[in-house]
Amino acid sequence: MTEETTEWLYLLGEEARIVGISGYTVRPRRAREEKPKVSAFINAKIDKILALKPDCVFGFSDMQADIAAELIRHGVQVTIFNQRSVAEIFSMMSQVAAMVGQVERGQALMQTMLEGLRAIEQAAAALPRRPRVFFEEWDEPHISAIRWVSELIGIAGGDDCFPELAAQSMGKNRIIADGLDVVRRNPDIIIGSWCGKKFRPEKVAARAGWQDVNAVRSGQLFEVKSADILQPGPAALTDGVAHLHRIIMAWSAQHD
């Protein structure tokens, strides 16, 4: 019922175990062609899941608690992960690898990811100045970065404009009610990842009072696809953080 465990099982070479996936799955792309789609995010086709007779169902976050409860009442084993930080993402992947008997391969893959993060962090440490970054997870209302995204921004070389909100696991608790709060924090870079819909930098630039924000004045408005950064699994730790790092390094090159 969640994308990141599907991607991880494919990386582990255990895709044959997967009997159904979330309809939001895009990584790897072939999963959409090979596996039946049996859930969205906050709802699922319980009858279809039961018909597949899974040994275990993987889900993510308290938002899937009702689906999990219904499956449990039908006698299905359900494992719900609730990872919100980079360390917790690694923990989730370690647990899944152990559950499918791929501890050694899982550890090797995770070590490669960890080395990649360390290399990015080392390169970022050499930056003469770290840009302030506003990461917008949703536009109406404005929702700022969840914890693992905030941490990856830091690894990539930037400083999250709203670090105090990143600790809040629920999106409703990361809402910035007054858009002028963003203006006051004056980000150098604005990154949008609007949970599956296209980021519109021109709409951001046209917001009342935002014209004098550094990021708007210098055209530093970018999109990172939600599939690459908002799935707390391999994608965020590889393509997602790499994209953040490229944006920050390019900004730095213009502000030497």
Side-chain angles (χ1 to χ4, degrees), residues 169-191:
S169 63
M170 302 293 287
K172 66 181 181 180
N173 295 327
R174 298 195 310 280
I175 290 174
I176 301 166
D178 183 359
L180 292 179
D181 283 344
V182 179
V183 175
R184 284 186 279 272
R185 300 203 184 190
N186 197 18
D188 299 300
I189 298 171
I190 294 174
I191 297 173

Side-chain angles (χ1 to χ4, degrees), residues 71-243:
L71 289 169
I72 290 167
R73 282 192 288 268
H74 282 90
V76 178
Q77 177 180 321
V78 179
T79 298
I80 298 291
F81 297 102
N82 215 8
Q83 68 272 23
R84 304 290 177 162
S85 67
V86 170
E88 289 171 357
I89 292 173
F90 277 111
S91 176
M92 175 277 291
M93 293 194 297
S94 180
Q95 291 176 66
V96 171
M99 290 173 76
V100 298
Q102 287 287 358
V103 171
E104 188 173 333
R105 182 165 182 172
Q107 289 296 329
L109 289 168
M110 287 188 291
Q111 182 61 32
T112 298
M113 292 178 196
L114 187 59
E115 289 171 1
L117 291 176
R118 286 172 177 164
I120 287 174
E121 191 169 34
Q122 185 174 10
L127 293 176
R129 182 162 81 84
R130 296 171 66 89
R132 296 181 302 276
V133 179
F134 173 52
F135 184 97
E136 189 171 86
E137 190 176 307
W138 194 246
D139 58 333
E140 296 178 351
H142 312 305
I143 298 179
S144 67
I146 198 166
R147 183 176 170 186
W148 73 79
V149 176
S150 180
E151 291 177 352
L152 291 175
I153 288 169
I155 290 170
D159 291 326
D160 180 10
C161 276
F162 292 91
E164 74 279 10
L165 296 182
Q168 301 295 322
S169 63
M170 302 293 287
K172 66 181 181 180
N173 295 327
R174 298 195 310 280
I175 290 174
I176 301 166
D178 183 359
L180 292 179
D181 283 344
V182 179
V183 175
R184 284 186 279 272
R185 300 203 184 190
N186 197 18
D188 299 300
I189 298 171
I190 294 174
I191 297 173
S193 190
W194 289 352
C195 286
K197 74 174 182 179
K198 185 174 176 58
F199 176 63
R200 300 282 301 279
E202 71 279 5
K203 288 185 66 176
V204 174
R207 291 171 182 168
W210 287 46
Q211 290 72 29
D212 291 327
V213 171
N214 283 348
V216 174
R217 286 194 295 109
S218 58
Q220 295 291 304
L221 296 93
F222 305 95
E223 179 178 33
V224 176
K225 298 291 186 183
S226 56
D228 291 343
I229 194 67
L230 293 180
Q231 308 311 322
L237 301 182
T238 54
D239 293 348
V241 68
H243 195 168

Side-chain angles (χ1 to χ4, degrees), residues 3-136:
E3 301 171 70
E4 62 278 354
T5 45
T6 295
E7 180 180 16
W8 183 228
L9 286 168
Y10 268 86
L11 289 171
L12 291 170
E14 294 291 336
E15 64 269 23
R17 292 180 183 267
I18 303 171
V19 294
I21 62 173
S22 162
Y24 288 113
T25 301
V26 296
R27 295 174 64 108
R29 194 157 292 279
R30 68 186 180 97
R32 296 184 62 82
E33 302 166 2
E34 298 173 347
K35 308 296 180 181
K37 303 169 193 65
V38 296
S39 75
F41 187 64
I42 57 173
N43 54 67
K45 300 171 183 175
I46 301 298
D47 290 346
K48 282 193 173 183
I49 294 174
L50 295 175
L52 293 169
K53 298 180 179 179
D55 297 310
C56 182
V57 172
F58 289 147
F60 167 66
S61 90
D62 42 289
M63 292 184 70
Q64 293 193 331
D66 290 342
I67 306 172
E70 189 168 353
L71 289 169
I72 290 167
R73 282 192 288 268
H74 282 90
V76 178
Q77 177 180 321
V78 179
T79 298
I80 298 291
F81 297 102
N82 215 8
Q83 68 272 23
R84 304 290 177 162
S85 67
V86 170
E88 289 171 357
I89 292 173
F90 277 111
S91 176
M92 175 277 291
M93 293 194 297
S94 180
Q95 291 176 66
V96 171
M99 290 173 76
V100 298
Q102 287 287 358
V103 171
E104 188 173 333
R105 182 165 182 172
Q107 289 296 329
L109 289 168
M110 287 188 291
Q111 182 61 32
T112 298
M113 292 178 196
L114 187 59
E115 289 171 1
L117 291 176
R118 286 172 177 164
I120 287 174
E121 191 169 34
Q122 185 174 10
L127 293 176
R129 182 162 81 84
R130 296 171 66 89
R132 296 181 302 276
V133 179
F134 173 52
F135 184 97
E136 189 171 86

